[in-house]
Amino acid sequence: MKIAKHIVLALCLLGGSSCSSDFLETVPTDAYSETTILSNVENAKSALNGIHRAMYAQYDTQNQAGYSSVMIYNDMLGEDLVNTAQGNGWWIGEYRWQNHRNVNGSSNFHVYRFFYKLISNANMILAQIDDLPGDDATRKQVKGEALAYRGMAHFWLVQFYANRYSASNKSMLGVPLMLTPTTAPQPRATIDQVYQQVLIDLNEAEQLVVPKPNSGYNKSHFTQSSVKGILSRVYLAMEDWSNAALKANEARTAFEGTLMSSTQYKTGFSDAANPEWMWASIMIPDQTVYFYSYFAYMTYNFNSSNIRTNPKAINSTLYGKIAATDVRKWCWEPAPTAENFPLPLTTFLRFPFMNRKFAVKDAGSSVGDIPNMRLSEMYLNEAEAKARAGASAEAQQILHEFVVVRDPAYTKSTATGDALINEIMTHRRVELWGEGFRFTDLKRLNLPLDRENANHSSTITANLMSVPAGDNQWLFLFPQSEVNTNPFVAENQNP
Amino acid sequence: MRRITFLLLCLFIGIGLSAQTRVSGTVFSAEDGQPVIGAAVVVKGTTTGTVTDYDGKFQLTTPAGAKLLVVSFMGMETQEVDVKPTINVRLMPHSESLDEVIVVAFGTVTKEAFTGSAATISSKSIDMRPIANAAKALEGVAAGVQVGMTSGQPGAGPEVRIRGFGSINASNDPLYVVDGVAYAGTLANLNPDDIESITVLKDAASSALYGSRAANGVVVITTKRGKSGRTTFDVKVNQGVSVRGIREYDRVGTMEYVPLQWEAMRNALVTGGASREAASLQASADIMGTKGLNNNPFNVAAGQVMRTDGTLNADASLLYNDFDWNDAISRTGYRGEYNISGSGGTDKADFFFSVGYLDEKGYVIRSDFNRFTARVNANIQPKKWFKAGVNVAGTVSTSTTTTASLDDISSYANPFYFARNIGPIYPIHQHNSDGSYVLDANGNRMYEWDHRGAGASAGRHIIAETQWNDNKNDRNVISTRLYSEVTFLPGLKLTINGGLNIDNLLVGAFENAEVGNGAPSGRSRRDNRKRTELNFNQLLSYNKSFGKHSMDLMAGHESYEYQWERFYGMKQGLVIDGNDELINFTTINSLWSFTDRYTTEGYLFRGNYNFDNRYYLSASYRRDGSSKFAHNVRWGNFWSLGGSWRIDREKFFEAKWVDMLKLRASYGQVGNDAGISYYAWQSLYNISNNGTESGFVQDMSKGNDKLEWESSNSLDIALEFGLFNRRLNGAFEFFDRRSSNLLFSVPLPTSSGVSNQYQNIGSMFNRGIELQLDGDIVRSKNFIWNMNVNATFLKNEITKLPQEEIVSGTKKLMVGKGIYDFWLRTYMGVNDQNGAAIYRYDDARTAAADVAKSYEYKGQMVTEDPNVAKFEYHGSSIPKVYGGLTNTFVYKNLSLSVLMTYGIGGQTYDRGYATLMEGVNSYGSAMHVDMNNRWQQPGDQTNVPRLDASKAVFFSATSSRWLTNSSYLALKNASLSYDLPKSVCRFVDLSAIRVFASGENLFLLSKRRGLNPQESFNGLTNNQYLPSRIGTVGVNVTF
């Protein structure tokens, strides 16, 4: 008996033997440690790709689909985009200028969190990239693109959360400048400091990134032309016309693509293969963002409640300015009927001036590529900068080069001064409708919002029909999450 | 009557060899005259004895010199009787037995020797209740245990909190232990009928051996096992119905609704600068159209429905009345439960087996729970020195669920959100212009979802989506316990326990191509979630008695491994209708898998000492390591000390009316690592590809390699008593639970690009008093009325924080404040001149632009702009006192038990009400009848601001306006049973027959109709699946 007992005892001890020394070491299978990712240049390139993805990923709520939601937001705040009905309610608070004036606004929070997330991911790369082992050409490109993101993101933030750049404003407070990967709260830098840093980052990026895409890169990656394009946007905002014109010119001449043909213009703005697209987010089917998608709000043919019940229309006054021979006139329908404006299902509503500019490739899916920058904008930036600098002849020429592609009947403008500027701005509004330019254009130019005398319904806008230039309402309020965690911002919230 | 016995007694009973006197007899219950089955009859001072059979009879041969027999049975007074050839014993019941055994960490202890704090719920309290999830049985029956009523979804279980809230960002859930092994799965996997007892370990002394996982208390569930000498077979059938347990909020009807919406539009236009006349004209023109309600159910043209004076056109009548969405999503639920079990045993082996089937259909369409369970528990002792046993349980369940869950509170697919908030002018079906139904080719009515206002879930249809979509959960669970025990020296034994739980859940969801998230192409997903828990422990124990001293010691080692595997795929593009398998779809939307692992390891020691059954001491120590922390900081030490003193056993103590008086105290430290990421210490990059290029993006949570255990130091002092021949029993208990080193999700500046980092900062205490009283108010031959009441007074306070204050949603954490103290704008009512909602102005704002938004109103600085309103504390969601009251009436064979629960004090932020009262943010949302009290003209004194679509966001901002007192009284359960007389049972050759009826959630008294004051601990209501009111009848036959 005793022997049996001891054998059983021994077996028990063996069977229940304690754990090996690495029993308590566990790692995830869907994530990697920071040290693994930032261990060499190749992996750092993947961390950069993560930023490209963040540009079109979905965040908390349906109005938070990366960069494309910022684009929608920028136009929702303007006068050129018209909500034809309340639809299912998405974007109406933004359209009414309520969301960005509400510290708890979800779109407001998205803009802030999204751009700082890009910055943080870029800073992680920038803090270490110089010391990582690996190929130098790749290192240059990764560093350049990270800098481009950091510059672009700060640029967007300062446009929304601070006053416009001007001689009298530039010493006012801008936004926190984040240049290292820190979690310590940072004070609001001045508007000028932010813009100067944006220029430093973008200028360095311009030197580092490849002139033309490497084989294997898609248009989500920066090249010299797209970085120059962002620089031209920055200089426009700074009213530095000569540099704005210069960078826009360099961008369009460096770019290997061409302006779209009239046929290509009618293909829906959802495919990055378009020769005019300079910078894009490219989504594949298993990365769909469902009803968060840009195309779930902006197209005419995706079967979302929002589009069925609230198709987006163009400001009727602006529409009236488009020449009949201009291909862009096709993009909107003043009197849509079943005949002239077929829709996928009878449950889609029709409203005057609704758009067919944006279309999904497949009505069953909201997957599509996002046009972050197109070549036509470079012509418009350059023409505008030249015109504002007084170089009317050059401006007329550049404008003509571009518009004649859209409207073969177009004859070169003879206007000068404000008349020429207005003509350019009208083409800009028509050309870039829905692509995220209007609010920041109004703000940088110190223009009022004016939705009167067009097809805006005061019921849907909740009477937000006009806002004077320079009003506090042009400032986004810092979101509550930042106020709660950053004492510098809490003390200096926008009025 | 079925009795509960514990086998442990029997283990000490051997068979005497030196035969002297043959004794036989019967043991009866004095309570009901029925034979007592399984009572122990032992010769005093020996281990010689037996147990009674199913007729209450026993036979025993006593050794020479034996004078007294000790007859005992769980739940009854032990009696000593003289040895004589024939003995009839009548045992008196008592509610607290001295021999009662409490299941504690890694073993059992007699209640007498127990120095900690615990509450035990026996199978008796679960037996008849129509609950699929045993956690529901914890409500109201034990002091210190707070149960939230989370969901009425069949099979869903409630959240449980023991002695308050020990953690702010980590988990507050207690540890569940089933048959000695930690259990991470839902308790719905267990057949409540298999449960012998549930013990709630509340203090450090009772739970410290679970060390790192015990900070929030431990719920120990023990399943049934066979009893020596008693072979039974049990059949129980239960049938019932269920309906919604809480009625809907009072909402305005169609004819009141349209003028209210019109008024909101008119006022918005006036606010925008239009004249009242022009605004009225425009509102009448627009209200029914696409800019407004976007549906006209009246027989007059859209522009004619509302007159410009704000009244409904007298000629307007409804073309149809097809607006009762609540009715359309509801049905009468059904509940059927079938259980059979068998058990038996000898002194060398015992067994228990059971099979159960539950079929529950919720009162919301397409919500159900089907469960098949089986269990075998077998134990053997082939040698005196060797014991082994196995307890294997399998569960197969399928459940169709709605999305009315916590994480989906306001989605269009949530039936409660949808039906509650859709305006009463939107029909379920399509109608022709004459009001008749539109019929499809087959003559069926067609659903309508396109003519909706923006606030009326435009484009969605809860009935169609619920019927056409599918959301089912297929679960297979196997749970195994295996142990062997070797006694290799007297008093010294080694026990090896192994436990394996595998919970395999396949969530299959289909969303149709017509309407909802699946439109326009239809989509389907499969989400396989597999949880594997593997637990091993080795325990070496030694006990020894000498003279008046007795002691036992234990040392052990435990390892625990938790693995979580997900496999997820989703495709869209339905090919052929009616087949939701993924292969029937064209395009992959999502396809991924991952595996998480979490491990812990611990070394444990315990010592108990008892002197003369008067003084008891216990001490325990455990050292634990967790994989959630970095290797140099992952080990933590946990310990406890406890003592108790039986005052009544002192010589000086002479009060005869006191049967028991015990003072006990314990102190100890336990830990917590639950509820945070499995890899909390690591800074991670998540896989996030850019198209087809490999990509990684920073996790929003920053790692912290200094992160370590959250700990909880708790003190417990109690006085327990039994008086007047055990007629009145009770306990007063004081506890002080101090949590420190809190695992705090410290919010980081949004501008840092990451959102939070776990840090060990912060301290908090939960301090309180528990009262438990149990008394027989009437105790006569045929009638017993027992009342059991408990109350818990709880105070929660933060004593240390990582930063001065942390605002989190509707709460603000600050030293000196509680975890659930509301931090809200102060609602000051309505400006009686313009009807605007006014809030207290934040006087810290001195900028001119802000000051311009404030004005003085009736002596106070107020503002109409919530962005400059002042935030202040407005009470807590934690009730001042909560508890339960159970009344049990027994008249002969008839028994009625009534459980009521209550909470007094505390606030609820009633989001359901707030949504119905938000005014008109977008047209088409339903409204509460309180909207009839809105401000309409200067001078109106009211608390409800004017309706104004352009101001609704401001007027309905998050504020103290939406707080409601959460005091409540609920009739949780009433169970009535009748045991057929033994003569009848005997006639049909059965041991016992019982018929019974039971009801759940029978009645609720709360401040506002529609409000579920128990919905959440943090005081926020959501649009959840409201609890069911269930009524069942059943019969239980014992062979």
Side-chain angles (χ1 to χ4, degrees), chain B residues 31 40 86 95 108 118 134 223 264 280 332 368 387 436 587 713 793 864 1008:
Chain B
E31 184 185 346
T86 308
S95 38
T108 57
T223 59
S280 297
T332 300
D368 56 46
K387 279 201 275 191
S436 62
T587 311
N713 286 36
F793 298 82
E864 295 172 15
R1008 177 182 293 119

Side-chain angles (χ1 to χ4, degrees), chain A residues 47-107:
Chain A
L48 175 73
N49 286 337
I51 308 181
H52 294 313
R53 172 66 178 276
M55 288 285 286
Y56 66 91
Q58 68 181 54
Y59 297 85
D60 304 339
T61 52
Q62 237 173 276
N63 50 357
Q64 301 184 357
Y67 189 70
S68 67
S69 292
V70 180
M71 290 162 60
I72 295 176
Y73 202 171
N74 207 358
D75 278 337
M76 279 291 167
L77 292 166
E79 78 280 42
D80 292 343
L81 183 85
V82 174
N83 282 291
T84 53
Q86 286 212 26
N88 58 354
W90 287 108
W91 295 108
I92 298 297
E94 291 82 350
Y95 182 56
R96 293 173 171 176
W97 283 47
Q98 291 167 344
N99 202 292
H100 73 278
R101 297 295 296 166
N102 175 357
V103 291
N104 296 316
S106 65
S107 294

Side-chain angles (χ1 to χ4, degrees), chain B residues 175-186:
Chain B
L175 171 70
Y176 290 90
V177 172
V178 177
D179 289 321
V181 170
Y183 194 83
T186 164

Side-chain angles (χ1 to χ4, degrees), chain B residues 125 128-131 135-141 146-152 158-159 245-246 883-887 897-903 968-975 997-1005 1011-1015 1026-1032:
Chain B
S125 334
M128 288 179 285
R129 289 182 65 174
I131 49 176
K136 287 187 176 173
L138 294 171
E139 185 176 355
V141 298
Q146 195 181 358
V147 175
M149 193 162 53
T150 4
S151 170
E159 300 262 307
I246 294 174
L885 171 68
T886 308
N887 277 292
S897 172
V898 180
L899 167 65
M900 306 192 76
T901 65
Y902 65 89
Y968 74 95
L969 178 68
L971 175 51
K972 273 295 134 174
N973 172 268
S975 296
S998 185
E1000 290 285 312
N1001 297 319
L1002 296 172
F1003 169 77
L1004 172 71
L1005 194 65
L1011 170 67
N1012 178 1
Q1014 278 181 282
E1015 198 170 288
L1026 290 164
S1028 321
R1029 178 170 300 158
I1030 305 179
T1032 57

Side-chain angles (χ1 to χ4, degrees), chain B residues 169-215:
Chain B
N169 293 127
S171 175
N172 276 308
D173 292 331
L175 171 70
Y176 290 90
V177 172
V178 177
D179 289 321
V181 170
Y183 194 83
T186 164
L187 292 190
N189 291 341
L190 297 177
N191 181 352
D193 215 48
D194 282 354
I195 294 176
E196 176 76 47
S197 71
I198 303 176
T199 306
V200 182
L201 307 179
K202 297 191 281 193
D203 70 334
S206 59
S207 63
L209 273 197
Y210 287 115
S212 60
R213 285 177 292 165

Side-chain angles (χ1 to χ4, degrees), chain B residues 250-535:
Chain B
D250 285 308
R251 297 168 303 167
V252 300
T254 310
M255 297 305 192
E256 294 167 284
Y257 178 78
V258 177
L260 289 170
Q261 295 278 315
W262 178 91
E263 190 176 315
M265 183 177 276
R266 194 269 319 268
N267 288 348
L269 292 164
V270 171
T271 304
S275 72
R276 205 173 160 91
E277 292 65 36
S280 297
L281 274 171
Q282 196 182 335
S284 291
D286 282 355
I287 186 64
M288 305 308 287
T290 54
K291 290 166 187 163
L293 294 170
N294 197 20
N295 185 54
N296 177 15
F298 295 98
N299 60 345
V300 295
Q304 306 292 316
V305 172
M306 284 300 303
R307 293 195 298 218
T308 54
D309 64 355
T311 59
L312 207 57
N313 184 342
D315 296 333
S317 63
L318 287 171
L319 289 165
Y320 45 84
N321 189 342
D322 186 17
F323 313 127
D324 195 342
W325 291 80
N326 262 324
D327 185 60
I329 61 160
S330 304
R331 64 181 176 189
T332 300
Y334 161 78
R335 191 177 193 283
E337 192 177 7
Y338 314 84
N339 284 305
I340 58 172
S341 65
S343 71
T346 66
D347 56 344
K348 291 219 183 280
D350 62 72
F351 66 90
F352 169 87
F353 65 82
S354 77
V355 173
Y357 177 68
L358 171 68
D359 177 10
E360 204 170 334
K361 291 182 174 58
Y363 66 83
V364 172
I365 56 171
R366 306 264 301 149
S367 66
D368 56 46
F369 182 68
N370 273 276
R371 178 180 62 201
F372 177 82
T373 56
R375 176 180 297 274
V376 174
N377 184 353
N379 302 283
I380 55 165
Q381 186 171 13
K383 296 284 174 198
K384 266 198 161 161
W385 54 269
F386 184 73
K387 279 201 275 191
V390 63
N391 188 343
V392 181
T395 303
V396 176
S397 68
T398 60
S399 177
T400 307
T401 58
T402 70
T403 60
S405 61
L406 251 183
D407 50 355
D408 211 357
I409 51 168
S410 59
S411 89
Y412 299 128
N414 176 333
F416 287 87
Y417 170 82
F418 193 110
R420 174 169 299 151
N421 292 306
I422 188 165
I425 59 159
Y426 300 105
I428 296 165
H429 303 94
Q430 293 179 27
H431 293 267
N432 294 308
S433 53
D434 64 351
S436 62
Y437 288 101
V438 176
L439 302 178
D440 68 9
N442 298 320
N444 298 316
R445 293 173 183 179
M446 295 168 74
Y447 291 130
E448 159 66 49
W449 56 74
D450 269 294
H451 296 97
R452 297 267 186 76
S457 303
R460 303 295 294 258
H461 199 290
I462 194 61
I463 313 297
E465 291 179 42
T466 306
Q467 283 177 340
W468 298 342
N469 294 350
D470 202 4
N471 194 14
K472 60 176 189 288
N473 298 273
D474 284 321
R475 199 185 279 275
N476 304 314
V477 186
I478 185 152
S479 190
T480 306
R481 305 286 179 274
L482 185 69
Y483 80 93
S484 58
E485 188 180 292
V486 184
T487 307
F488 51 97
L489 285 172
L492 184 63
K493 68 183 181 192
L494 175 72
T495 312
I496 311 280
N497 292 296
L500 174 67
N501 303 320
I502 297 177
D503 186 328
N504 209 333
L505 172 66
L506 177 66
V507 181
F510 167 73
E511 287 163 316
N512 75 86
E514 301 296 317
V515 58
N517 288 328
S521 55
R523 66 188 193 190
S524 191
R525 62 175 187 270
R526 292 290 181 271
D527 181 358
N528 195 74
R529 309 173 187 183
K530 183 181 175 192
R531 180 195 292 117
T532 309
E533 292 174 277
L534 188 60
N535 189 303

Side-chain angles (χ1 to χ4, degrees), chain A residues 9 16 23 25 29 32 34 46 49 53 56 86-87 101 120-121 220-221 286-287 290 347 463 481-482 485, chain B residues 268 450 454 494 523 538 570 589 595 599 634 683 685 689-691 693-694 696 698 749-751 867 922-923:
Chain A
L9 185 64
F23 181 68
E25 298 294 338
T29 54
Y32 291 93
E34 220 167 81
S46 293
N49 286 337
R53 172 66 178 276
Y56 66 91
Q86 286 212 26
R101 297 295 296 166
S120 170
N121 277 272
S220 62
H221 289 263
D286 76 347
Q287 295 168 349
Y290 309 103
T347 52
N463 290 304
S481 65
E482 180 74 359
T485 50
Chain B
D450 269 294
L494 175 72
R523 66 188 193 190
Q538 306 86 35
M570 174 154 127
N589 287 142
T595 303
T599 51
R634 67 167 54 119
S683 283
Y685 266 81
N689 296 335
N690 175 40
E693 300 174 353
S694 78
F696 299 97
Q698 262 186 304
T750 311
S751 51
N867 289 314
S922 41
Y923 298 96

